[in-house]
Amino acid sequence: MRDVLRFLTLRFLWLLATLWVVFTLSFVLMREVPGGPFLMEQQVDPVIQKQIEAAYDLDKTKWEQYVITLGKTVRGDLGPSFKMRDYTVNEILAEGMPRSVALGTLALLIALVLGIVAGTVSASRRGGFIDRGLMLVATIGIALPNFVIASILILVFVIQLSWLPAAGWGSLRFMILPAFCLGAPFAAYIARLTRTGMLETLTQDYVRTAHAKGLSPWRVVTGHAMKGGLLPVASFLGPAVAGILTGSLVIEKIFAIPGLGTYFVQAALNRDYTLAMGCVLFYTLLVYVMNLLVDISYTILDPRVRLD
Amino acid sequence: MLAGDTVLDLGDLHVDFDTDDGVVRAVRGVSYSIKRGQTIGVVGESGSGKSVTHLALLDLLPETATISADVMRLAGRSMLNMSAKERRSVRGNEIAMIFQDPMTALNPFLTVGTQIAEMFRLHHGLRGQRLVDATIQALADVGIPRPERRIEDYPHEFSGGMRQRVMIAMMLAGNPELLIADEPTTALDVTVQAQILDLLAGLQRDRGMSIVLITHDLGVVAGFAHRTLVMYAGRVVEEAETSALFWNPQHPYTRGLLSSIPRLDRGSQKLRQIVGAPPDLSALPQGCPFAPRCDFVEDRCREQEPLLAPRGDGHTAACVVTLPKWEGAV
Ligand SMILES: Nc1ncnc2c1ncn2[C@@H]1O[C@H](COP(=O)(O)OP(=O)(O)OP(=O)(O)O)[C@@H](O)[C@H]1O
Ligand SMILES: [Mg+2]
């Protein structure tokens, strides 16, 4: 118990350090990139321009801006959006986040379920027709970029069959296609990882022992082989979450989903400093927490591994 | 049932493996039987087919193996035309097997309690508190201290000897009539080896089960097995009561094995090893497979492989040469 507390405290301190580094880097980089939030097409009255810049502290030196923004961020205030002026960044995040999280979670779920089932079936039918078919599909799934998968699926399910809506947000029906496109490449990768892991554990002595006990083949696989066979999948979860995050930038755009990914892309293009910063920090937090969960899940899956 | 009933009857068992280098003929006509409460020792060098013979019995070989036999009877029932499901119900329940390396043979991801309890649930339908009690009792029966605490531990938290005790507890949970112990002590320290063999002997007395003890060490068999089979290149080359095998070995290979047992009374004298290596099972030479390594080889040995022939008192050997009288290992 003491170990666990120590581990969590340490990880929390690391998280703070990571967030600070990410904050600083983003702050510097954003302001180094040419262009600014208020360079507009039409000429604006210089007085008004001054007032706007003052409202956003842009008239202060870079150092002053850094300290002020960091101070506010530490208190949880990410400030107003530079572009969507009626909203604070916190409000925009609060609106976009649930959609993106729902989409990402569904995509991850699809990836895990499809990948683990396909990989396990493949491994237990090694070399057979089903195994080869599944692995061929998996290879294609890894090779195709998700926007290509999206185009094909839209053609089939939206235009040809009109089973599903093409874009937008609302009920679960809107989520099916984008979540599938987002999860498909990861499903394919997880299928291959699962197959490799299962093939290795299926030849272990303890699996033979499980057969010798008189267990059914199903019980041998689910009760004895899977835990070891899925360890590689568990360690892939961290990268998978990060990959689904980046993937969602594209997928949200294609399917016109008003999620965090869409806001983030817009913020970057518009030099919306505060909103972009909010998104970056949120993504960092998410990936960090997911990696922490993966480490913890590892100790649950493999009793020989300890937290440290 | 009456004492002296036959528990296992095996006739002309063959196992071939399909490999990239051709067909490996790992077992080539093994026959033997065991009576209730009896212990049989199976000895032979590495690769002689000891494990494959018994894995075939339990239907635990990979798909590349082709198994055939004339007789395979368990307590009078033939196993030859059993369905896969019926074969499965034999495993762990009527025939149990423990393996050489308890480190890899136990599942590292599950507590020993879970692994033992699985057997009581599967073969006796126990649930709840009765299941827990039975699991703790099983660990106590094999001499593991504080069993009520240790059921929560994982295999890596046990020493090698304790792990083999866990394995024994687990495999005996189904109350098998026959226990196949495949080199149960090879991976252990010498002192621990003796303890495990004592444990097995004690459990056998209490439960009246039969044991097949596989080993490549004739010394292990000496004080333990009623009868002993000597295997070479997939065949039984000699079978006898263990004492008869030691006092009057009738096959040159058995004599070679006996001469290579380390003995205290021979002090630092060099052990005699059998020179050469066993033959390639995918390209067996004509004649006796032991001929190239045999001190007593004659021309006719290279023409035809000798069959097991009776030598009186249930003693059989597969050698056509008239051997000199055995003076003991020198
Ligand atoms: N899956 C397999 N594929 C091909 N050949 C195999 C396979 N399993 C065993 N063999 C071969 O069968 C022969 C007998 O092997 P077996 O494991 O029965 O030997 P053993 O007498 O138990 O030896 P050891 O003392 O090393 O355990 C060996 O030559 C081995 O190479
Ligand atoms: Mg063996």
Side-chain angles (χ1 to χ4, degrees):
Chain A
M1 200 57 221
R2 233 231 200 93
D3 287 352
V4 177
L5 262 170
R6 215 179 72 92
F7 170 81
L8 289 178
T9 316
L10 220 71
R11 281 307 188 91
F12 183 69
L13 293 178
W14 265 114
L15 171 63
L16 294 184
T18 310
L19 284 174
W20 175 68
V21 170
V22 168
F23 173 87
T24 309
L25 276 177
S26 315
F27 187 89
V28 173
L29 285 175
M30 275 192 286
R31 271 151 244 253
E32 284 308 313
V33 177
F38 304 115
L39 297 176
M40 303 179 186
E41 291 80 42
Q42 333 89 297
Q43 279 298 314
V44 180
D45 184 344
V47 182
I48 295 180
Q49 175 93 20
K50 273 262 156 355
Q51 279 177 347
I52 294 174
E53 290 189 349
Y56 289 93
D57 298 326
L58 288 178
D59 53 342
K60 308 225 171 51
T61 68
K62 291 256 165 76
W63 274 109
E64 283 170 331
Q65 289 181 37
Y66 176 79
V67 173
I68 291 169
T69 323
L70 184 59
K72 282 188 180 164
T73 305
V74 167
R75 273 170 274 137
D77 175 12
L78 292 164
S81 164
F82 277 30
K83 285 286 165 161
M84 302 155 83
R85 304 236 183 104
D86 294 336
Y87 299 95
T88 66
V89 170
N90 284 347
E91 283 166 347
I92 298 173
L93 289 185
E95 192 188 296
M97 196 170 66
R99 297 173 187 150
S100 295
V101 167
L103 179 67
T105 309
L106 188 61
L108 190 63
L109 230 85
I110 289 174
L112 281 173
V113 172
L114 285 184
I116 290 174
V117 170
T120 307
V121 170
S122 239
S124 34
R125 299 267 182 283
R126 170 178 209 176
F129 179 72
I130 297 177
D131 177 25
R132 280 184 227 168
L134 283 173
M135 283 308 115
L136 181 70
V137 173
T139 311
I140 296 171
I142 293 172
L144 286 185
N146 52 18
F147 58 85
V148 175
I149 299 178
S151 318
I152 297 171
L153 291 184
I154 289 175
L155 265 175
V156 175
F157 289 100
V158 180
I159 299 176
Q160 289 289 324
L161 301 170
S162 348
W163 285 354
L164 294 166
W169 192 249
S171 61
L172 187 70
R173 268 164 54 81
F174 287 90
M175 276 170 72
I176 294 173
L177 269 190
F180 183 83
C181 295
L182 192 51
F186 297 94
Y189 198 77
I190 288 173
R192 300 189 64 127
L193 278 179
T194 305
R195 180 176 183 273
T196 315
M198 288 301 286
L199 280 181
E200 201 182 310
T201 45
L202 283 173
T203 60
Q204 296 288 320
D205 280 358
Y206 65 79
V207 170
R208 188 179 59 189
T209 305
H211 282 293
K213 289 165 100 172
L215 296 166
S216 66
W218 166 256
R219 296 275 309 166
V220 171
V221 169
T222 55
H224 286 267
M226 262 197 159
K227 262 198 153 183
L230 291 187
L231 278 181
V233 175
S235 51
F236 176 63
L237 278 184
V241 168
I244 282 178
L245 272 183
T246 31
S248 69
L249 301 186
V250 177
I251 291 294
E252 287 185 10
K253 193 91 198 148
I254 294 176
F255 289 94
I257 296 169
L260 221 52
T262 306
Y263 290 135
F264 183 45
V265 173
Q266 271 171 21
L269 293 176
N270 294 337
R271 308 280 181 273
D272 189 339
Y273 292 160
T274 45
L275 182 54
M277 179 65 85
C279 291
V280 169
L281 291 180
F282 175 73
Y283 285 152
T284 309
L285 184 73
L286 193 67
V287 171
Y288 195 92
V289 169
M290 278 316 292
N291 277 312
L292 180 68
L293 290 180
V294 168
D295 286 352
I296 293 173
S297 80
Y298 232 83
T299 64
I300 295 171
L301 281 172
D302 189 346
R304 291 165 300 184
V305 175
R306 300 192 161 277
L307 290 174
D308 57 46
Chain B
M1 275 190 232
L2 297 167
D5 283 344
T6 301
V7 170
L8 177 76
D9 209 350
L10 199 58
D12 204 26
L13 174 74
H14 287 258
V15 180
D16 291 346
F17 288 102
D18 231 338
T19 71
D20 295 341
D21 304 327
V23 176
V24 174
R25 303 181 60 205
V27 178
R28 304 180 300 125
V30 167
S31 307
Y32 76 88
S33 59
I34 307 185
K35 295 196 163 43
R36 191 169 306 281
Q38 198 178 37
T39 299
I40 293 231
V42 178
V43 295
E45 284 168 299
S46 194
S48 54
K50 307 181 298 290
S51 297
V52 170
T53 299
H54 296 92
L55 289 171
L57 204 57
L58 281 175
D59 204 16
L60 286 178
L61 289 169
E63 278 162 18
T64 53
T66 313
I67 305 171
S68 72
D70 284 349
V71 183
M72 202 190 267
R73 257 201 304 269
L74 180 66
R77 281 180 304 138
S78 176
M79 294 198 285
L80 287 175
N81 29 35
M82 281 187 180
S83 67
K85 205 168 171 186
E86 286 170 305
R87 288 297 288 273
R88 198 168 79 218
S89 72
V90 167
R91 293 204 285 264
N93 195 23
E94 287 167 88
I95 309 179
M97 187 156 180
I98 57 181
F99 302 96
Q100 173 170 342
D101 190 351
M103 180 66 213
T104 57
L106 289 169
N107 192 329
F109 302 109
L110 303 174
T111 63
V112 303
T114 309
Q115 298 187 56
I116 296 172
E118 192 171 45
M119 290 293 278
F120 284 113
R121 203 177 313 121
L122 184 68
H123 297 296
H124 302 292
L126 295 189
R127 298 283 188 277
Q129 191 56 42
R130 292 182 59 204
L131 180 61
V132 178
D133 292 344
T135 306
I136 292 171
Q137 188 57 45
L139 279 182
D141 288 348
V142 295
I144 290 184
R146 294 183 297 116
E148 64 290 340
R149 292 239 219 115
R150 306 248 42 198
I151 53 171
E152 307 285 341
D153 289 344
Y154 290 90
H156 72 272
E157 294 168 288
F158 290 78
S159 68
M162 286 294 156
R163 247 179 244 145
Q164 195 59 289
R165 286 173 192 261
V166 169
M167 186 77 192
I168 292 169
M170 180 171 90
M171 284 308 186
L172 292 188
N175 252 332
E177 309 195 24
L178 173 62
L179 177 70
I180 297 165
D182 191 351
E183 313 209 19
T185 60
T186 308
L188 306 175
D189 293 343
V190 185
T191 49
V192 182
Q193 283 187 12
Q195 292 167 7
I196 296 290
L197 289 175
D198 280 350
L199 172 68
L200 281 176
L203 289 166
Q204 179 178 34
R205 260 197 314 278
D206 297 346
R207 297 170 181 236
M209 64 188 170
S210 314
I211 294 183
V212 176
L213 179 70
I214 300 174
T215 170
H216 51 242
D217 182 357
L218 262 176
V220 165
V221 152
F224 196 77
H226 301 109
R227 295 183 71 77
T228 296
L229 304 169
V230 179
M231 286 190 70
Y232 187 77
R235 287 206 164 168
V236 176
V237 294
E238 185 162 4
E239 178 188 350
E241 279 189 14
T242 306
S243 54
L245 195 84
F246 274 80
W247 294 116
N248 186 22
Q250 293 293 309
H251 196 285
Y253 179 62
T254 313
R255 293 187 175 195
L257 288 178
L258 284 169
S259 303
S260 56
I261 304 177
R263 274 184 10 191
L264 289 175
D265 58 353
R266 259 186 292 156
S268 59
Q269 237 178 299
K270 236 178 75 191
L271 291 180
R272 295 193 10 173
Q273 295 293 343
I274 309 173
V275 288
D280 177 359
L281 294 174
S282 58
L284 279 167
Q286 207 192 343
C288 174
F290 188 61
R293 308 170 72 187
C294 184
D295 292 339
F296 306 98
V297 63
E298 296 173 4
D299 284 346
R300 56 183 171 152
C301 297
R302 297 201 178 83
E303 280 157 23
Q304 209 178 5
E305 186 167 0
L307 299 174
L308 271 181
R311 302 292 168 100
D313 281 342
H315 191 149
T316 54
C319 181
V320 290
V321 177
T322 315
L323 299 176
K325 194 168 157 29
W326 174 249
E327 306 286 355
V330 277

